[in-house]
Amino acid sequence: MKLLIIAVAFAIPCVLAQTKSYTNKYDTVNLDQVLSNRRLLHAYIKCTLDKGKCTSEGRELKSHIAEALQNGCEKCTNAQRAGMKRVIKHLMTYEKAYWTQLVEKFDPAREYSQKYEKELSTL
């Protein structure tokens, strides 16, 4: 009986760690609206770069962006993963200066951003 209790005690944290994901609270943000509104998009980017004020959505994004880039967004929901790719593609195509600044801040060694650039340049 004691062995079973010990096994369960060790298994629970492992299961919880595997299911941990970022909040889905902002999964319904309209990315089309954000990407088509340069003023709004630039506000989010400036927040992320610590050059402007942040909304609650911006703070949430900023708190996870480095980790998400490094681990392939493994804690992301499907909506977040698809949204990340759309945003990166948009920044690479239409906001190159900001994309460069974001890469310099969150991936100065360009270990992770090159993977995304290569993958998304073919889409």
Side-chain angles (χ1 to χ4, degrees):
M1 185 66 168
K2 289 180 185 179
L3 184 58
L4 178 62
I5 293 171
I6 292 171
V8 170
F10 281 109
I12 290 173
C14 292
V15 170
L16 292 176
Q18 290 175 349
T19 60
K20 186 173 181 177
S21 62
Y22 303 131
T23 180
N24 64 356
K25 182 177 177 180
Y26 302 110
D27 282 9
T28 58
V29 169
N30 185 337
L31 281 181
D32 291 329
Q33 182 181 22
V34 174
L35 295 176
S36 66
N37 182 332
R38 290 191 77 182
R39 187 174 57 89
L40 183 57
L41 176 62
H42 289 182
Y44 277 113
I45 294 170
K46 288 177 181 178
C47 160
T48 306
L49 291 169
D50 297 320
K51 295 181 178 182
K53 294 181 181 179
C54 293
T55 62
S56 57
E57 295 96 339
R59 281 188 298 278
E60 185 72 25
L61 169 67
K62 187 166 65 169
S63 72
H64 301 298
I65 194 167
E67 179 186 47
L69 285 172
Q70 292 170 9
N71 67 24
C73 213
E74 74 181 23
K75 292 183 182 178
C76 294
T77 64
N78 289 336
Q80 291 164 353
R81 199 170 287 109
M84 179 187 75
K85 289 180 180 182
R86 282 187 60 209
V87 170
I88 290 174
K89 176 74 173 173
H90 181 88
L91 294 174
M92 287 172 33
T93 305
Y94 301 107
E95 302 287 347
K96 291 178 184 175
Y98 277 130
W99 173 245
T100 300
Q101 291 176 51
L102 289 164
V103 168
E104 287 172 2
K105 178 177 174 90
F106 293 103
D107 186 20
R110 297 191 52 79
E111 294 176 56
Y112 312 104
S113 55
Q114 286 181 340
K115 178 187 101 175
Y116 294 105
E117 290 170 353
K118 184 177 179 181
E119 176 185 339
L120 295 172
S121 66
T122 61
L123 297 179

